[in-house]
Amino acid sequence: MKIFFVRQPASEQQQSKIMLEKNIIASQNHHLREYTHYANNIDYQHLSINSTLEELFLWEESIEVSEKVESITKIFEKTSLLPGLILTQDNLFQGMISRRLFFEYMSRPYSLGLFSRRAIATFYDCLKPEITILSATTSVIDAANIALKRLPPLVYEPIVVEIQTGNYQILDFHQLLIAYSQIHFLTLNSLQQSEIKSQATQDNLNWLQNNHTQIVQAEKMSALGQLVAGIAHEINNPISFITGNIHYVRTYFNGLLDLINAYRRLNPVPSQEIENYLQDVDIDFIAEDLPNLFNSMTNGSERIRTIISSLRNFSRLDETGKKAARIHEDIDNTLLLLQHRLKNKFNPRPIQNINVIKNYGDIPLINCYPAELNQVFMNILINAIDAIEEKYHNYSTNVSNHVCDCPIDEGIEGKITITTQQINIYDIPYLSISIIDNGIGMNEEVSKSVFNPFFTTKEVGKGTGLGMAISYQIIVEKHGGKLECLSVPGQGTEFIIHIPI
């Protein structure tokens, strides 16, 4: 039997906040279907190197600044892919507010109660966002270059497009990157098919390959930024609400329990009806077990908050430029996000859990780009897990075919070893990070090509050939370091990262 405890009715402000969070979570269920329909109805094949912004899909939604802020919330809930809203006063353009910036600001303490019933004009004056306004005749390539050169906090903001005098619409930055990438892809294919051998053409091919890699990286980080912003608003706030209320529920329960115990002391011989009821509900068992339930609920909610915190630390959305980072914490955050691949209970397979051995040395804070380094760790670790699983798949196939007599549970055990230390190369201090797996390994020809753009040994749909190419650019070009690959077929692979301190 379960006992339910009723709190005092929430205030009007609390009820509004709870209703807002419920509505946002409910709308998330429709997001995937809406995005699939949206993506399938946009045709990028017609684009060319001279395409302009007016050829792309633009959002026309607008709202008067005299409306209340809560009206913005309703519009964003109704259209989960809407990147932003045009703000007008008497149908005259006043500005633009993006979905990301709106929910980020409104998720701060007291913002919901402070602004939800106020006019949008008041909220916008406090926000004072910087917006990018471009003409509809601006080429897609020029627009992408302008957008990518914005300050890091503004890179993923939507762009305001002036169709004609007084008429403004919104372009999603994510869509601009896709169009930009498609133009480069079509141009690259055209150059490759022409089979021109001149050095100038070869230089153009190399430039397009490298540029396309950077665009795909920016698109991935844009998608990750949107994901983190959504999770932070839609999960972290409700979890905080649950965690905060567990304390009150526990207090109420203890109060009721004290009341029951006091009644037992004052009335040691209750009526037969009360005695029968106490036996039916087994009040002693409830008093003993309910604290355990409270502890489980607290531990579960704290676990979710830890995962959310790790995801935010992994993406580092609120940081720009180089920062002094604790590399060990970044590696641990990346491993936490990969637990579903490392632990057998989350990813059913015959192989046992993949063990991670961490040999962390005494290293200082490293001045680096943390978010991009996290992407390197993620790419290398995912490849290590894939290599171990492929090796086990081949091993289990041999056992099934009686090529190997070893029982499956006595076969290989997945292992990833991460070692960090400070070393000197020509009297220059470097941070050395070694990530070794005991996976299937690679031959010399494959290991030499692993950092080339679009090179992959994975099946179609499982790899783009860009992960290690992007990692190489991040380590070598952005950090002035070195990234090496050492591999022995059948034994495993080691990636060695050297970053100057």
Side-chain angles (χ1 to χ4, degrees):
M1 172 147 182
K2 299 182 179 179
I3 296 180
F4 296 89
F5 300 94
V6 181
R7 292 189 60 190
Q8 293 295 328
S11 66
E12 182 179 355
Q13 177 180 337
Q14 291 174 329
Q15 290 177 347
S16 299
K17 181 175 181 180
I18 295 171
M19 184 61 66
L20 171 63
E21 292 170 347
K22 287 182 177 180
N23 290 339
I24 294 175
I25 294 174
S27 68
Q28 186 71 7
N29 296 330
H30 303 286
H31 179 82
L32 181 59
R33 290 192 298 271
E34 186 174 346
Y35 178 80
T36 303
H37 175 76
Y38 169 76
N40 290 338
N41 285 277
I42 298 179
D43 179 20
Y44 295 101
Q45 299 299 322
H46 70 282
L47 297 177
S48 68
I49 196 170
N50 296 319
S51 292
T52 61
L53 297 183
E54 58 189 350
E55 298 179 42
L56 304 182
F57 179 85
L58 302 176
W59 298 86
E60 301 179 356
E61 278 70 12
S62 63
I63 188 171
E64 286 284 311
V65 294
S66 58
E67 295 283 335
K68 293 182 179 179
V69 173
E70 60 185 8
S71 301
I72 298 180
T73 303
K74 295 178 181 178
I75 295 175
F76 280 145
E77 289 173 3
K78 182 178 180 181
T79 309
S80 59
L81 290 176
L82 182 63
L85 276 172
I86 295 292
L87 304 182
T88 60
Q89 183 174 6
D90 298 329
N91 295 323
L92 297 178
F93 177 81
Q94 298 297 312
M96 183 275 297
I97 185 168
S98 68
R99 167 188 289 272
R100 182 192 65 83
L101 193 59
F102 175 77
F103 280 121
E104 178 182 325
Y105 199 93
M106 292 298 289
S107 64
R108 296 178 181 177
Y110 309 112
S111 291
L112 185 63
L114 186 61
F115 290 108
S116 61
R117 300 294 179 87
R118 293 178 179 268
I120 297 173
T122 303
F123 176 74
Y124 194 73
D125 288 340
C126 294
L127 200 59
K128 295 181 180 178
E130 296 184 28
I131 60 177
T132 302
I133 303 177
L134 299 177
S135 169
T137 58
T138 305
S139 71
V140 172
I141 294 178
D142 289 341
N145 287 329
I146 293 172
L148 290 171
K149 289 178 181 178
R150 293 182 292 185
L151 294 175
L154 305 176
V155 166
Y156 306 119
E157 286 291 280
I159 295 170
V160 176
V161 179
E162 185 177 12
I163 305 301
Q164 56 187 9
T165 303
N167 184 6
Y168 297 85
Q169 297 180 13
I170 297 177
L171 171 63
D172 190 357
F173 175 74
H174 181 267
Q175 184 192 348
L176 175 62
L177 285 183
I178 295 176
Y180 188 23
S181 180
Q182 179 68 16
I183 290 174
H184 281 278
F185 179 76
L186 294 174
T187 307
L188 178 62
N189 279 347
S190 177
L191 289 173
Q192 289 175 332
Q193 293 171 3
S194 66
E195 298 181 352
I196 300 175
K197 302 298 183 179
S198 67
Q199 185 60 41
T201 301
Q202 187 61 43
D203 291 342
N204 287 335
L205 285 172
N206 294 335
W207 179 84
L208 285 169
Q209 285 182 331
N210 292 332
N211 202 40
H212 185 263
T213 302
Q214 295 173 1
I215 293 303
V216 172
Q217 179 189 0
E219 190 274 334
K220 285 184 177 181
M221 294 305 294
S222 172
L224 178 61
Q226 294 177 3
L227 174 64
V228 170
I231 289 178
H233 183 75
E234 298 177 14
I235 297 182
N236 198 42
N237 282 348
I239 287 298
S240 298
F241 177 80
I242 293 172
T243 304
N245 281 281
I246 290 177
H247 168 74
Y248 296 105
V249 175
R250 191 193 301 267
T251 301
Y252 298 158
F253 165 71
N254 291 334
L256 291 174
L257 190 61
D258 291 341
L259 177 62
I260 293 174
N261 291 333
Y263 175 80
R264 282 179 165 180
R265 287 194 307 270
L266 298 175
N267 188 16
V269 183
S271 65
Q272 187 61 41
E273 182 180 358
I274 296 296
E275 186 66 29
N276 293 340
Y277 184 77
L278 290 175
Q279 291 179 2
D280 289 340
V281 300
D282 197 353
I283 191 65
D284 292 331
F285 172 77
I286 292 176
E288 178 182 354
D289 188 57
L290 201 54
N292 296 329
L293 294 180
F294 289 146
N295 292 334
S296 298
M297 293 167 63
T298 301
N299 293 336
S301 59
E302 288 298 330
R303 172 67 175 171
I304 295 176
R305 295 181 68 175
T306 300
I307 293 174
I308 298 301
S309 176
S310 297
L311 187 57
R312 290 183 63 86
N313 291 336
F314 173 83
S315 64
R316 303 273 188 162
L317 288 178
D318 54 347
E319 296 186 0
T320 61
K322 282 191 172 183
K323 298 287 183 181
R326 293 180 171 85
I327 298 299
H328 293 162
E329 291 184 3
D330 290 337
I331 296 175
D332 291 341
N333 286 329
T334 306
L335 289 171
L336 180 61
L337 297 179
L338 290 173
Q339 284 299 303
H340 67 290
R341 296 287 309 275
L342 296 170
K343 299 299 181 182
N344 190 28
K345 64 180 179 179
F346 297 121
N347 185 23
R349 58 190 175 197
I351 194 173
Q352 299 300 315
N353 296 340
I354 297 177
N355 296 319
V356 178
I357 301 173
K358 294 183 283 189
N359 300 321
Y360 288 166
D362 185 12
I363 61 173
L365 295 175
I366 304 300
N367 194 33
C368 62
Y369 297 93
E372 298 186 14
L373 270 188
N374 288 340
Q375 189 178 1
V376 174
F377 299 148
M378 179 70 76
N379 289 336
I380 294 177
L381 289 170
I382 287 177
N383 283 339
I385 295 171
D386 290 341
I388 292 172
E389 290 183 342
E390 184 177 356
K391 181 177 182 179
Y392 182 83
H393 174 74
N394 295 342
Y395 170 80
S396 59
T397 301
N398 290 338
V399 172
S400 301
N401 295 333
H402 305 290
V403 177
C404 174
D405 297 330
C406 300
I408 287 186
D409 58 0
E410 296 181 3
I412 69 167
E413 181 182 72
K415 182 172 68 175
I416 297 175
T417 304
I418 305 174
T419 304
T420 63
Q421 58 182 324
Q422 181 177 335
I423 63 173
N424 289 326
I425 301 178
Y426 298 112
D427 296 328
I428 300 176
Y430 279 81
L431 166 64
S432 174
I433 305 173
S434 168
I435 302 178
I436 305 175
D437 67 71
N438 64 338
I440 194 169
M442 298 176 285
N443 58 39
E444 183 177 0
E445 181 181 358
V446 173
S447 62
K448 287 183 177 179
S449 304
V450 72
F451 299 123
N452 294 339
F454 308 108
F455 177 83
T456 181
T457 59
K458 299 179 182 179
E459 300 177 4
V460 175
K462 291 188 175 181
T464 62
L466 290 173
M468 296 313 302
I470 291 172
S471 299
Y472 188 85
Q473 286 183 343
I474 291 173
I475 297 298
V476 177
E477 297 180 11
K478 298 209 68 172
H479 290 87
K482 299 178 182 179
L483 179 59
E484 302 178 50
C485 174
L486 306 176
S487 188
V488 178
Q491 297 185 24
T493 301
E494 176 181 14
F495 284 95
I496 304 174
I497 301 171
H498 289 156
I499 300 175
I501 298 177

